[in-house]
């Protein structure tokens, strides 16, 4: 179907290695194998801390992290996700969001040129990869981020890049962190209009 599973069905299904929840994106929605996430059409919401391995492609969808004080690891393993009018990777609430780029994988995240917000006067998120909380990048895969609206990557706390191949194109800023941007490793290319 559309990647929807009841809580009961999720409990009975085993996740990936070491308790990973395995998620596959498709044009119709997300297929979820393991606990902690639910899909409503092409919107995937991660609601608890843990590791989530995501692959596949969706041309108008989003991944929302709303996990309280949980630490979320989003393992990108050949994921291509775009959103026409919102942030495709949106860290709404969590203690930290770590994006792990699986070695040998190619991943792409891109947003649209205009966003539709639920509330009037809201101007967040405003980046293809956006997090209200600490945002960490690691792993040895490749991530291409295309920010057609404003920023490529934006974090409202610390943004830390430990490793990975990041290629960022943005109409405004490539990487923006409110508290800090720390680059400890990796290969980063930024093409920014701002």
């Amino acid at each position: 179907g559309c990647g929807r599973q009841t809580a009961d069905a999720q409990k009975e299904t085993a996740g990936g290695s070491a308790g990973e929840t395995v998620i596959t994106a498709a044009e119709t929605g997300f297929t979820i194998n393991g606990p902690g996430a639910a899909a409503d059409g092409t919107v995937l919401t991660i609601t608890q801390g843990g590791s989530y391995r995501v692959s596949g492609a969706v041309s108008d969808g989003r991944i929302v992290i709303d996990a309280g004080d949980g630490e979320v690891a989003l393992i990108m393993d050949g994921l291509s996700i775009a959103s026409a009018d919102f942030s495709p990777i949106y860290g709404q609430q969590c203690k930290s969001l770590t994006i792990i780029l699986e070695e040998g994988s190619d991943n792409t995240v891109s947003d649209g040129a205009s966003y539709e917000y639920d509330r009037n006067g809201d101007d967040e998120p405003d980046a293809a990869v956006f997090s209200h909380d600490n945002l960490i990048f690691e792993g040895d895969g490749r991530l291409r981020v295309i920010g057609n609206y404003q920023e490529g990557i934006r974090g409202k706390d610390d943004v830390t890049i430990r490793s990975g191949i990041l290629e960022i194109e943005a109409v405004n800023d490539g990487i923006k962190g409110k508290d800090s941007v720390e680059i400890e490793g990796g290969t980063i290319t930024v093409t920014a209009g701002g």
Side-chain angles (χ1 to χ4, degrees):
C2 293
R4 292 193 182 93
Q5 285 188 346
T6 63
D8 293 341
Q10 281 182 351
K11 282 177 196 150
E12 289 165 16
T13 323
S17 61
E20 286 175 3
T21 294
V22 178
I23 299 163
T24 306
E27 291 305 334
T28 50
F30 294 90
T31 305
I32 302 163
N33 188 344
D40 181 3
T42 58
V43 177
L44 176 79
T45 304
I46 292 171
T47 55
Q48 60 193 50
S51 297
Y52 301 84
R53 182 179 295 272
V54 189
S55 62
V58 56
S59 59
D60 189 11
R62 71 180 79 149
I63 297 173
V64 179
I65 292 90
D66 189 5
D69 59 358
E71 296 184 7
V72 172
L74 188 67
I75 304 159
M76 291 190 180
D77 190 4
L79 173 67
S80 175
I81 185 167
S83 175
D85 56 13
F86 206 72
S87 180
I89 306 287
Y90 178 34
Q92 183 176 322
Q93 175 64 49
C94 59
K95 185 174 183 182
S96 64
L97 171 59
T98 302
I99 293 177
I100 301 169
L101 305 172
E102 182 65 37
E103 188 172 1
S105 71
D106 273 309
N107 306 279
T108 305
V109 179
S110 62
D111 60 7
S114 63
Y115 277 29
E116 285 184 20
Y117 295 110
D118 295 334
R119 296 182 295 280
N120 290 335
D122 207 350
D123 60 354
E124 290 179 351
D126 61 357
V129 179
F130 182 96
S131 179
H132 284 288
D133 307 289
N134 288 326
L135 181 59
I136 300 155
F137 292 85
E138 57 185 47
D140 294 311
R142 181 184 301 270
L143 174 61
R144 188 160 176 247
V145 177
I146 303 154
N148 291 305
Y149 177 61
Q150 287 283 345
E151 271 64 78
I153 294 167
R154 185 177 181 198
K156 297 303 293 287
D157 279 345
D158 298 318
V159 176
T160 306
I161 299 171
R162 293 181 177 149
S163 59
I165 303 161
L166 277 71
E167 299 166 359
I168 302 156
E169 299 170 35
V171 295
N172 193 2
D173 299 322
I175 306 168
K176 187 174 181 178
K178 184 174 182 184
D179 293 345
S180 71
V181 174
E182 289 188 34
I183 297 174
E184 299 169 4
T187 304
I188 301 159
T189 310
V190 176
T191 307

